[in-house]
Amino acid sequence: MVKFLFQRTIGMAITMFFVSIMVFVIMELPPGDYAERWAFRKFSGTGAQITEADLDNIRANFGLDRPAPERYFKWISGIVLHGDFGEAFAFQTSVNNVIGQKIWLTLAILFSTLIVTYLVAIPVGIYAAIRRGSAEDYALTVFSYLGFALPNFLLALVLLYVSITVFDSSVGGLFSPEYADAPWSIAKAKDLLGHLIIPAIILAWSATAFQLQTVRATMLDELNNLSVTAARARGVPEWKLLLKYPARLAINPVVSTMSFDANRIFSELPIVALVLGLPELGELLLKSYLDLDMFVAGAILLILTFMIVFMNFLSDIFLAILDPRVKLIEG
Amino acid sequence: MTPTDLSPKETQAPINQMESEEAQRYYSATQFQLIWWRFRKHRLAQVGAIILITMAVIGLFAEFFGPYTGTTRVSDAVLVRPQAPQFCNDDGCTLRPFIPGVISERNPETLRMETKIDPSVRRDIYFFVEGEEYKLLGKFKTNIHFFGLKEGSIHLFGTDSLGRDIFSRVLLATRTSLSIGIFGVVIAFVLALVIGGVAGYFGGGLDYAIQRLTEIVRVIPVIPLYMGLAAAFPKEWSSTQVYFAMTLVLALVGWPTLARRIRGKLLSLRGEDYVIAANLAGAGPSRIIGRHLLPAFMSYIIVDLVISFPFMLLSETALSFVGLGLRPPTVSWGVLLQDAQTVRAIEQAPWLFIPAIFVVVAVLSFTVLGDGLRDAADPYQVSG
Amino acid sequence: MSDTLLEIKDLKVHFPIRSKNLFGGVTKYVKAVDGVSFYIEKGETLGLVGESGSGKTTVGRSILRAIEPTAGKVTFNVDDETFDLSQLTDKEMRGFREHMQLIFQDPYSSLNPRMTVRDIIAEPLIAQKLATGDEVDERVREAAALCKLNLEFLRRFPHAFSGGQRQRIGIARALVSRPQFIVCDESVSALDVSIQAEILNLLMDLQAEFGFTYLFIAHDLSVVAHISKRVAVMYLGQLVELAPTKDLFYAPKHPYTEALMSAIPEVNPDQEMNPVHLDGEIPSPINPPSGCRFHTRCPYTQDNCKTDIPKWEEIEDNHFVACHFAKTLTLKGAEMPTSVDAN
Amino acid sequence: MANTKEITKDNLLEVRNLKISFKTDEGIITAVDGIDFSVKHGQTLGIVGESGSGKSVSTWSIMRLLPKNSIIDKGSSIQFHRKSGKVVEMTKLKANSRELRKIRGGEVALIFQEPMSSFSPVYTIGNQIVEAVLQHRDVSKEEAEEIAVDMLDRVGISNPRQRFRQYPFELSGGMRQRAMIAVALSMNPSLLIADEPTTSLDVTIQAQILELMNELQEELGMSIIFITHNLGVIAQVADEIEVMYLGKILERGKTKEIIQQPQHPYTQALLEAIPRLDRLGERLTAISGDIPSPLSRPVGCPFYTRCEKVMPGICDIEMPKPTQLSETHTVYCFLHEEKDV
């Protein structure tokens, strides 16, 4: 197990190294350079005249006159060694300050979404497989189709519209107005939990549709497995048999694709966050892309990807616990 | 669950003494005939196909089917409600559809312009009427529209806050969104085919390197990655440039998944007994690829193409929706939905949300079509 | 030896195991075939038997170079000229394939479902340009007729046929290029008993008519005994015994062969089975036992079996064994028929 | 409902007029078409048949294990003598009823061809045996574990305590089949259905498993239904044999009667068609033609399409009636029916 963990940790580090290069490339992509955007943001409206010399100064300050590999090295070593993600010009402060506690809110959203997804997809998928061909199964298939077809942000809009026109209250945001700027307290945490449900359901929408189908398909495969018939031939009661044999195995593909779910959720997060007004990383990422505040964008992209890679790591461990065959392959 | 002596192989029909004409036909049916017969059993998939073909045709001739060009502003008709054609009013019924007249006046309380229906006025709808001039398929100058009014204006889906006809704009957007999907899928596919094909056919170290690369591209969240690439488009690019850049971006991010599937399929095909048999028959690589791998592969390629579409459509819509994708004056479903970004906008004019229905219907159609095709694509596998 | 068609010397096939760690380094090898030597004479059938994991299929495929051998020499005589197959380039090998063919085990997966029967049978001719135009069709029809296939069926696709018929199509494909050597890799194992006899008869008839040379690989000892002139027994990647069929079955010289013979269930309720008991299981071909590979399970094992590798010796005329005690052990073979018409 | 007479005393199981069909996309396939057979206490009934003969279907139906699209005809009867002495009509039992569950495993056990897929890969061998024992015996968990280890030992698995904690994939094929037998026998059944239990095994392992089953039968006294397509195996293990072809029984008798004096043309042809070591060098007699598809079963005797001695106008009209050749030997063939008359 120690060797297994060690191998996976190294693998994670290597993946993150390549990811960081890709992220750096993306940060470098926008036309014009960072110094111009920084200066524009800082001095616009102040009436100050910026000369080419000023810009060169700024470039030298930020090290922008250095070749790209050197800049990459400086950037990544700042992150790895000091946890310093650079400066966010749009906010005139460090990226760390901007991101700060939003990481925790993002994680809270990620996990609540995953929980909603699995709480729905696993039992319902199992049920649909057992009742294959029934009206419920058919209805669930239709629901899954809709899950693929109706993007989460449109669902968010629909829900918002319904909540406002029918219930006359908004479902957006992560906090009630009275808690938004209040210091953390138990009441605020409760308020957060209450507000998390709606975004979690919206973000879980398509992930649930996908996983439901995966669970159903695996379950159908497993139901046809001889080991199920063998257990039935031993006189094991039907419900116990279904839970112990096929259902147990139907969870495996879900566990092994946890990182894909995280990927899907983070994909949809920025847009859903925009619609619902959620103050977390996705929304910030979108804003910084629009402002071309690439240090912030790069940092967030890196953090989100790291969370996905880490989820992958977790799912590998869970899978090794769940399925004794996995260890053998690792040898 | 099936006992051993009822395995699929045994229930496959061997030749019998008596052979009906139908059996004869089945026995000498080619792959695509078999696929077609199986596909014909999938009602839902056929409905999907028909919807998509209709959308494609309407999109292709958007200017003809829409009564207005997408940019025409009917200034006194801002945020007009959708108008449904009618056959009957208080004066009785006619065969010719018509829409009631509309009056717009300023609400004395809110001071907003509001539209009201004037049932006393009847505006007949005519077909193949003359209207604004346009170029059909970008080539033939004409001013004939499929339908329209002789006087006044018709807005089946209402108008937006600038007084543009949403129906006409949705048709144009259909063209843009579908075509960007097609180009995106095709380019991604060419990339995936080359890269996945190389990896799957040659295997070894090259395969390993490509595998790792695709893995890395796949861990970065997709839409944020798209956004990062799209954010790099210079502001001064023309809408055409952005359009092409978008297809490229969609393709660049889309290929790893496809390449992985192609590679996997190729690897499994390469190990098939009949491919080994061809090898032992002395067939060279070109014959093996051309006669054995590609034909077996074609149906999967088609299925994969179809199921990749929704992803491209949704990505484009999402990016344009937040302003990182296509930009006005190009209209796509995502661009149109920008007007419906806030609840307030939808509350005021729910019909701005109509393009979303097109997105959903298109994606649904692709999904059911893909499902049907996937079922039909391998006619040699007996389905459980 | 001018009547030798094929000679295999010290053939080795080792499959690397890639560990699934970061750099995919190769640390272990599966020694599927580990030093196998034998020859096959023109027009004979050499049977090759062994249990699963013995490497018999790998031997057959590596002779045809469907799997690249790791080491060893395979020489092939065509028209009094000798070719070293392991030295041929891929392209030269392709040209050589008209002389050697394979009949597969699974009649379902070995035919491309997307090609007509005619195209399947014609493949060797077209791929190697052995015939053109009408000649192709002529030779396809000829091959099909030899395999008792209805010529009407040639434009049909494989999905129209049952297992037995498909296997005939596979045989027609194998013989259309008029090869000298055919490897039958478990070619009747997947068939029903009532179909199997017909295919065996067909293979034997074709051999009588055209003088084909077969390497007949199977796990069913009775089938191998029935069709082969000589039989080789494989265990864990190596040959343990090779002899004319009757010598091998009725008077085996290797303890493993004895165990195999004793395990055949006879279709005779009066004759009770009395299998030799073998200890444990077949060891892994990744780490084969030292000395004689069979020593971990052999009922007659001695101390030197653990350390010394037994020599592959011809102890009687045409009877090869690899056992330290081949000359001293008295082993029991299959029950010999009491009379010729023991019906 | 002609065949509802009470089961005779020396029979553990009596099957009458069993007819099973499957609903499929291509229509209704009749897999088993009105067969009768019985199993005596402590004896082994061998069922031989090629693919599509319905040998597995007919025996799986005894335990009511067939998939949902199967239909057991109303006129069919499967009577089973329970340990309590009570006779149950298996076809009348409700699916998932308590009584059916008690019989499954506890009184009738099943082993399959592929021991790998009949174990769940994610639980240890021990776990799966203990589950079975607890299901059918009134013992504590510790006692069940002892029974399991003891059973593993009895079936010849070395280091049973260690194997108990291993997963199926850690065992070799032969070991797994032994473990499968251990599971089946740990519940102390009175009938063991062995569905091609040695087909996927090598000959040396097969011989060991057959020996083991013989020993265990002598020791425990259960009845066995042994299904196989291998005539050599059946000759070695069965007391009685029935020969099935396309859902019908064509011949039934003591093992010696079937192997040494086969009377049905199909049985004769089968015995001629297999290569035998005591007949090396003889040409095999092949059976011409193919097994017809279950989708288009011939009318009349199912074998007439391939039979050398077919009598047109007779064999292709209706199924021949059973002809009793001796007390134990029955054949379904017009050749004998004529002689009888």
Side-chain angles (χ1 to χ4, degrees):
Chain A
M1 197 68 184
V2 176
K3 192 184 162 199
F4 179 80
L5 288 180
F6 178 72
Q7 274 188 357
R8 287 301 144 116
T9 312
I10 301 262
M12 211 159 58
I14 292 176
T15 311
M16 281 317 294
F17 169 68
F18 284 110
V19 166
S20 70
I21 292 178
M22 288 199 58
V23 169
F24 185 72
V25 170
I26 288 173
M27 288 165 64
E28 294 278 305
L29 273 181
D33 81 2
Y34 189 78
E36 287 170 24
R37 294 198 293 273
W38 188 84
F40 175 79
R41 182 56 80 124
K42 178 142 192 173
F43 299 112
S44 70
T46 59
Q49 284 292 316
I50 308 160
T51 60
E52 202 47 43
D54 289 337
L55 281 177
D56 282 342
N57 259 335
I58 299 166
R59 287 194 185 106
N61 255 343
F62 281 112
L64 292 175
D65 49 349
R66 317 301 307 167
E70 196 180 319
R71 274 180 287 134
Y72 166 75
F73 187 75
K74 189 175 168 238
W75 175 68
I76 198 71
S77 59
I79 294 170
V80 175
L81 299 177
H82 313 292
D84 172 17
F85 286 93
E87 192 172 347
F89 69 78
F91 303 89
Q92 300 294 325
T93 175
S94 77
V95 175
N96 296 39
N97 275 342
V98 179
I99 293 175
Q101 59 162 302
K102 293 197 171 180
I103 291 180
W104 302 111
L105 288 178
T106 311
L107 272 178
I109 289 176
L110 173 67
F111 282 108
S112 49
T113 307
L114 286 177
I115 289 168
V116 170
T117 303
Y118 299 148
L119 277 184
V120 177
I122 293 172
V124 175
I126 289 172
Y127 178 79
I130 294 171
R131 302 292 311 269
R132 183 192 189 178
S134 66
E136 300 100 294
D137 183 28
Y138 194 74
L140 285 168
T141 307
V142 173
F143 161 77
S144 296
Y145 278 149
L146 264 183
F148 305 142
L150 179 62
N152 298 20
F153 64 91
L154 290 183
L155 176 72
L157 275 174
V158 172
L159 281 188
L160 272 183
Y161 178 68
V162 170
S163 76
I164 285 178
T165 49
V166 180
F167 303 108
D168 200 24
S169 76
S170 170
V171 293
L174 277 182
F175 300 103
S176 308
E178 60 269 34
Y179 290 111
D181 293 314
W184 279 102
S185 62
I186 293 182
K188 183 172 176 175
K190 270 189 188 164
D191 181 58
L192 171 67
L193 274 182
H195 276 79
L196 270 176
I197 289 175
I198 294 295
I201 288 174
I202 290 169
L203 283 165
W205 171 249
S206 62
T208 307
F210 274 94
Q211 289 293 19
L212 199 155
Q213 285 303 311
T214 314
V215 171
R216 180 179 176 274
T218 327
M219 186 74 188
L220 280 179
D221 273 2
E222 290 297 332
L223 279 175
N224 281 325
N225 205 316
L226 262 186
S227 63
V228 175
T229 312
R232 195 172 284 135
R234 295 198 290 266
V236 180
E238 199 67 17
W239 61 267
K240 191 177 163 190
L241 175 142
L242 290 175
L243 287 185
K244 183 172 175 184
Y245 296 95
R248 158 82 186 263
L249 281 159
I251 295 174
N252 285 7
V254 175
V255 172
S256 66
T257 54
M258 267 167 53
S259 64
F260 287 91
D261 289 329
N263 190 315
R264 183 173 291 124
I265 289 164
F266 284 153
S267 261
E268 283 146 358
L269 187 54
I271 307 176
V272 171
L274 173 81
V275 172
L276 291 181
L278 307 176
E280 47 59 74
L281 291 182
E283 189 208 25
L284 186 60
L285 176 66
L286 184 54
K287 276 190 187 142
S288 45
Y289 274 142
L290 290 169
D291 289 343
L292 290 180
D293 193 351
M294 296 315 278
F295 271 108
V296 178
I300 296 175
L301 205 51
L302 210 54
I303 291 169
L304 293 185
T305 310
F306 178 73
M307 287 181 188
I308 292 169
V309 172
F310 191 74
M311 288 294 287
N312 196 22
F313 175 73
L314 282 184
S315 80
D316 278 350
I317 293 173
F318 288 155
L319 209 59
I321 294 168
L322 271 180
D323 193 337
R325 287 169 297 182
V326 174
K327 281 170 220 148
L328 186 85
I329 299 162
E330 295 306 316
Chain B
M1 184 127 48
T2 317
T4 41
D5 55 357
L6 258 185
S7 72
K9 279 179 187 172
E10 270 69 54
T11 52
Q12 249 174 16
I15 288 185
N16 290 308
Q17 283 80 0
M18 295 164 292
E19 285 185 353
S20 62
E21 211 161 289
E22 195 190 344
Q24 293 266 18
R25 216 159 59 97
Y26 170 73
Y27 293 147
S28 41
T30 62
Q31 176 187 9
F32 284 99
Q33 274 170 317
L34 290 175
I35 292 177
W36 177 238
W37 291 340
R38 275 175 77 126
F39 181 70
R40 291 245 307 253
K41 288 187 192 161
H42 284 268
R43 279 289 165 75
L44 209 55
Q46 284 167 49
V47 172
I50 291 167
I51 291 175
L52 290 172
I53 290 170
T54 315
M55 275 193 178
V57 170
I58 288 180
L60 206 55
F61 302 101
E63 293 91 343
F64 168 69
F65 286 106
Y68 307 99
T69 63
T71 45
T72 308
R73 295 176 178 200
V74 188
S75 54
D76 62 336
V78 170
L79 290 181
V80 174
R81 286 179 179 284
Q83 304 160 320
Q86 303 177 352
F87 292 95
C88 300
N89 65 0
D90 296 344
D91 303 337
C93 295
T94 54
L95 266 179
R96 181 169 292 284
F98 65 91
I99 54 163
V102 176
I103 22 175
S104 81
E105 53 191 26
R106 203 170 287 277
N107 182 322
E109 280 167 37
T110 63
L111 297 180
R112 275 209 215 127
M113 286 296 282
E114 282 185 356
T115 51
K116 270 190 182 156
I117 288 174
D118 177 4
S120 63
V121 182
R122 169 191 162 119
R123 298 215 163 111
D124 285 340
I125 297 174
Y126 294 90
F127 291 95
F128 301 103
V129 292
E130 290 184 7
E132 291 175 78
E133 203 164 76
Y134 64 93
K135 281 183 181 166
L136 192 65
L137 295 172
K139 277 226 171 85
F140 311 102
K141 239 186 195 169
T142 172
N143 62 356
I144 302 292
H145 290 260
F146 181 58
F147 68 92
L149 304 183
K150 294 238 162 104
E151 55 174 315
S153 53
I154 176 167
H155 304 294
L156 293 182
F157 292 170
T159 63
D160 63 11
S161 54
L162 294 175
R164 294 174 296 194
D165 179 41
I166 292 180
F167 181 75
S168 306
R169 282 169 70 78
V170 165
L171 295 193
L172 286 170
T174 302
R175 172 160 74 206
T176 318
S177 291
L178 284 184
S179 67
I180 210 166
I182 290 171
F183 289 133
V185 165
V186 168
I187 297 172
F189 229 85
V190 173
L191 279 174
L193 212 56
V194 172
I195 298 172
V198 165
Y201 191 82
F202 294 104
L206 190 62
D207 181 28
Y208 189 78
I210 291 174
Q211 279 278 86
R212 294 291 91 79
L213 178 68
T214 55
E215 257 166 44
I216 286 158
V217 178
R218 280 155 53 94
V219 292
I220 303 177
V222 184
I223 303 267
L225 183 57
Y226 274 136
M227 290 174 164
L229 295 171
F233 298 165
K235 293 267 187 290
E236 60 275 14
W237 271 5
S238 72
S239 54
T240 326
Q241 276 173 311
V242 170
Y243 175 88
F244 283 110
M246 268 297 288
T247 43
L248 266 180
V249 165
L250 288 176
L252 273 178
V253 181
W255 70 262
T257 319
L258 291 172
R260 213 182 162 86
R261 283 210 289 262
I262 288 175
R263 173 187 167 273
K265 188 69 205 158
L266 259 185
L267 276 183
S268 74
L269 272 179
R270 226 166 50 122
E272 286 276 339
D273 270 358
Y274 67 81
V275 178
I276 297 173
N279 230 326
L280 291 178
S286 59
R287 187 177 161 83
I288 288 182
I289 296 172
R291 278 303 306 240
H292 297 276
L293 298 182
L294 271 186
F297 213 58
M298 278 304 283
S299 48
Y300 289 95
I301 293 181
I302 293 169
V303 172
D304 258 8
L305 272 172
V306 170
I307 56 182
S308 319
F309 250 103
F311 181 69
M312 296 279 171
L313 286 183
L314 290 175
S315 302
E316 185 278 319
T317 307
L319 289 187
S320 302
F321 177 74
V322 294
L324 278 169
L326 299 175
R327 303 167 189 165
T330 309
V331 276
S332 74
W333 291 331
V335 172
L336 289 183
L337 282 171
Q338 278 183 18
D339 292 341
Q341 236 182 38
T342 62
V343 184
R344 211 165 303 119
I346 302 178
E347 212 182 353
Q348 200 185 350
W351 54 91
L352 291 176
F353 208 63
I354 286 176
I357 295 169
F358 276 71
V359 177
V360 171
V361 168
V363 173
L364 265 183
S365 304
F366 273 118
T367 311
V368 294
L369 177 63
D371 260 22
L373 280 177
R374 187 169 28 207
D375 257 17
D378 195 353
Y380 306 109
Q381 222 161 46
V382 178
S383 58
Chain C
M1 275 197 283
S2 64
D3 54 352
T4 300
L5 178 77
L6 186 74
E7 190 163 4
I8 289 118
K9 273 210 182 112
D10 207 24
L11 183 73
K12 286 184 182 166
V13 185
H14 295 181
F15 297 112
I17 305 176
R18 266 179 200 280
S19 58
K20 222 191 131 194
N21 67 21
L22 298 171
F23 306 104
V26 177
T27 44
K28 293 175 194 159
Y29 290 90
V30 174
K31 293 169 181 145
V33 178
D34 207 15
V36 163
S37 308
F38 60 84
Y39 63 86
I40 307 179
E41 284 171 14
K42 270 199 182 104
E44 78 162 339
T45 301
L46 177 71
L48 183 58
V49 296
E51 297 183 282
S52 44
S54 63
K56 52 188 192 303
T57 294
T58 314
V59 168
R61 301 229 166 165
S62 56
I63 291 175
L64 299 177
R65 276 189 51 192
I67 297 172
E68 289 295 327
T70 312
K73 211 169 153 183
V74 178
T75 51
F76 196 99
N77 283 319
V78 187
D79 308 327
D80 292 329
E81 229 186 307
T82 307
F83 296 88
D84 183 353
L85 294 189
S86 38
Q87 297 299 316
L88 298 184
T89 62
D90 281 359
K91 213 175 162 194
E92 286 167 331
M93 190 63 214
R94 233 175 276 147
F96 205 78
R97 296 210 179 276
E98 63 172 297
H99 303 302
M100 44 209 306
Q101 279 297 331
L102 176 71
I103 301 173
F104 288 82
Q105 167 173 11
D106 185 350
Y108 288 87
S109 65
S110 56
L111 306 182
N112 187 341
R114 295 165 184 84
M115 284 163 79
T116 60
V117 172
R118 185 254 172 207
D119 288 350
I120 289 171
I121 298 178
E123 177 133 51
L125 298 179
I126 295 170
Q128 299 167 63
K129 303 193 180 63
L130 298 176
T132 46
D134 289 344
E135 204 195 335
V136 174
D137 281 300
E138 206 172 293
R139 284 179 64 175
V140 167
R141 273 200 296 273
E142 187 191 42
L146 283 173
C147 298
K148 295 174 188 147
L149 283 166
N150 189 336
L151 297 186
E152 292 271 296
F153 294 171
L154 287 178
R155 52 186 185 81
R156 294 185 173 178
F157 287 86
H159 63 256
F161 300 93
S162 68
Q165 287 167 321
R166 281 165 177 248
Q167 200 60 314
R168 284 163 203 280
I169 297 170
I171 295 173
R173 168 176 63 192
L175 62 86
V176 75
S177 66
R178 295 175 195 146
Q180 314 209 0
F181 175 59
I182 298 179
V183 175
C184 306
D185 187 2
E186 301 270 10
S187 304
V188 297
S189 313
L191 303 175
D192 270 309
V193 186
S194 67
I195 311 292
Q196 178 180 294
E198 215 170 344
I199 299 292
L200 282 175
N201 284 345
L202 174 65
L203 287 173
M204 290 170 86
D205 292 347
L206 291 170
Q207 184 173 44
E209 196 171 339
F210 299 100
F212 291 144
T213 307
Y214 293 134
L215 176 64
F216 194 94
I217 301 167
H219 67 273
D220 187 326
L221 294 161
S222 321
V223 170
V224 172
H226 179 78
I227 196 170
S228 309
K229 191 177 146 209
R230 295 186 301 143
V231 176
V233 181
M234 252 186 117
Y235 182 77
L236 214 55
Q238 295 182 333
L239 290 186
V240 295
E241 189 167 2
L242 193 164
T245 306
K246 284 186 181 164
D247 292 355
L248 187 96
F249 276 78
Y250 298 139
K253 297 286 181 204
H254 195 284
Y256 179 62
T257 317
E258 182 192 38
L260 275 185
M261 299 308 150
S262 72
I264 305 172
E266 281 289 331
V267 194
N268 184 355
D270 295 333
Q271 191 179 309
E272 211 170 291
M273 223 181 8
N274 192 12
V276 173
H277 192 81
L278 294 183
D279 291 325
E281 309 274 340
I282 298 188
S284 150
I286 299 173
N287 272 321
S290 59
C292 172
R293 293 199 171 173
F294 189 53
H295 84 255
T296 53
R297 306 177 68 199
C298 182
Y300 309 100
T301 185
Q302 305 281 330
D303 281 347
N304 63 335
C305 296
K306 288 177 193 144
T307 48
D308 303 347
I309 297 168
K311 267 212 278 292
W312 179 241
E313 277 182 303
E314 186 168 6
I315 59 160
E316 274 168 26
D317 194 26
N318 249 327
H319 199 142
F320 297 82
V321 192
C323 175
H324 295 301
F325 304 102
K327 284 175 190 154
T328 49
L329 289 172
T330 9
L331 303 175
K332 208 168 148 282
E335 204 75 29
M336 223 183 307
T338 40
S339 64
V340 186
D341 47 14
N343 207 356
Chain D
M1 296 286 238
N3 292 312
T4 42
K5 59 183 173 188
E6 191 63 12
I7 185 168
T8 50
K9 225 179 171 187
D10 48 340
N11 281 348
L12 174 67
L13 177 81
E14 218 166 282
V15 173
R16 289 209 201 90
N17 199 21
L18 181 65
K19 188 174 171 184
I20 300 165
S21 333
F22 289 89
K23 266 190 244 161
T24 70
D25 293 345
E26 285 87 19
I28 292 199
I29 296 176
T30 304
V32 175
D33 194 9
I35 62 168
D36 301 335
F37 64 89
S38 55
V39 183
K40 294 193 180 66
H41 290 286
Q43 296 233 317
T44 300
L45 170 70
I47 303 184
V48 216
E50 298 179 281
S51 49
S53 63
K55 53 192 191 299
S56 294
V57 175
S58 58
T59 44
W60 285 39
S61 70
I62 297 169
M63 296 176 82
R64 302 278 304 278
L65 283 175
L66 294 177
K68 280 186 186 140
N69 64 337
S70 65
I71 312 155
I72 299 181
D73 190 76
K74 284 200 185 73
S76 307
S77 151
I78 301 172
Q79 288 184 319
F80 178 71
H81 242 129
R82 292 200 58 179
K83 283 177 184 165
S84 59
K86 192 183 150 203
V87 172
V88 276
E89 174 56 57
M90 298 295 289
T91 55
K92 299 274 187 295
L93 289 181
K94 280 212 179 64
N96 304 324
S97 66
R98 226 183 133 73
E99 185 163 22
L100 181 60
R101 277 209 322 270
K102 282 255 176 260
I103 293 172
R104 282 179 180 170
E107 306 203 19
V108 187
L110 178 62
I111 57 177
F112 308 109
Q113 173 177 349
E114 224 325 300
M116 184 66 195
S117 48
S118 41
F119 277 114
S120 168
V122 296
Y123 298 101
T124 59
I125 299 283
N127 177 312
Q128 300 181 56
I129 304 182
V130 167
E131 175 197 61
V133 174
L134 288 177
Q135 202 66 49
H136 296 288
R137 290 198 191 178
D138 192 18
V139 291
S140 71
K141 197 158 181 249
E142 289 71 34
E143 285 168 311
E145 284 180 15
E146 277 314 303
I147 292 172
V149 171
D150 180 50
M151 212 56 229
L152 285 174
D153 192 35
R154 288 260 282 276
V155 298
I157 288 178
S158 51
N159 296 330
R161 273 187 202 282
Q162 188 198 333
R163 299 288 182 199
F164 182 87
R165 281 188 299 272
Q166 284 187 326
Y167 290 95
F169 63 84
E170 295 174 291
L171 269 56
S172 69
M175 283 290 182
R176 278 196 292 267
Q177 195 56 285
R178 282 171 193 270
M180 186 79 210
I181 293 172
V183 178
L185 299 186
S186 64
M187 298 170 282
N188 200 13
S190 45
L191 174 64
L192 175 68
I193 299 176
D195 188 353
E196 303 255 14
T198 60
T199 304
S200 62
L201 303 175
D202 283 315
V203 266
T204 52
I205 316 277
Q206 165 173 290
Q208 290 170 15
I209 297 288
L210 294 180
E211 244 187 349
L212 173 71
M213 287 180 71
N214 272 336
E215 280 168 26
L216 290 170
Q217 184 177 26
E218 265 168 42
E219 204 178 314
L220 305 170
M222 75 260 180
S223 309
I224 298 179
I225 298 181
F226 198 107
I227 301 166
T228 180
H229 66 274
N230 186 324
L231 288 162
V233 170
I234 208 95
Q236 295 296 327
V237 298
D239 297 303
E240 270 187 295
I241 296 180
E242 62 189 46
V243 182
M244 284 191 79
Y245 185 80
L246 266 191
K248 299 262 196 202
I249 289 176
L250 298 185
E251 189 169 5
R252 164 188 327 122
K254 290 268 174 220
T255 302
K256 279 193 184 182
E257 290 170 326
I258 298 293
I259 300 288
Q260 288 167 350
Q261 296 126 23
Q263 294 303 319
H264 196 283
Y266 175 62
T267 320
Q268 291 168 345
L270 262 191
L271 283 162
E272 293 290 317
I274 47 166
R276 290 167 64 162
L277 287 182
D278 51 6
R279 288 193 213 149
L280 282 187
E282 280 175 46
R283 191 180 167 80
L284 301 175
T285 318
I287 305 176
S288 63
D290 276 300
I291 304 172
S293 149
L295 279 170
S296 53
R297 298 164 51 86
V299 182
C301 171
F303 188 58
Y304 89 85
T305 57
R306 304 171 72 194
C307 186
E308 295 262 293
K309 298 170 182 158
V310 61
M311 297 178 285
I314 299 175
C315 299
D316 50 357
I317 304 295
E318 60 173 348
M319 179 69 193
K321 296 200 170 39
T323 307
Q324 202 84 23
L325 298 173
S326 76
E327 205 171 301
T328 48
H329 197 168
T330 310
V331 66
Y332 294 73
C333 180
F334 286 111
L335 288 170
H336 298 276
E337 213 173 284
E338 303 252 300
K339 276 179 211 156
D340 223 33
V341 170

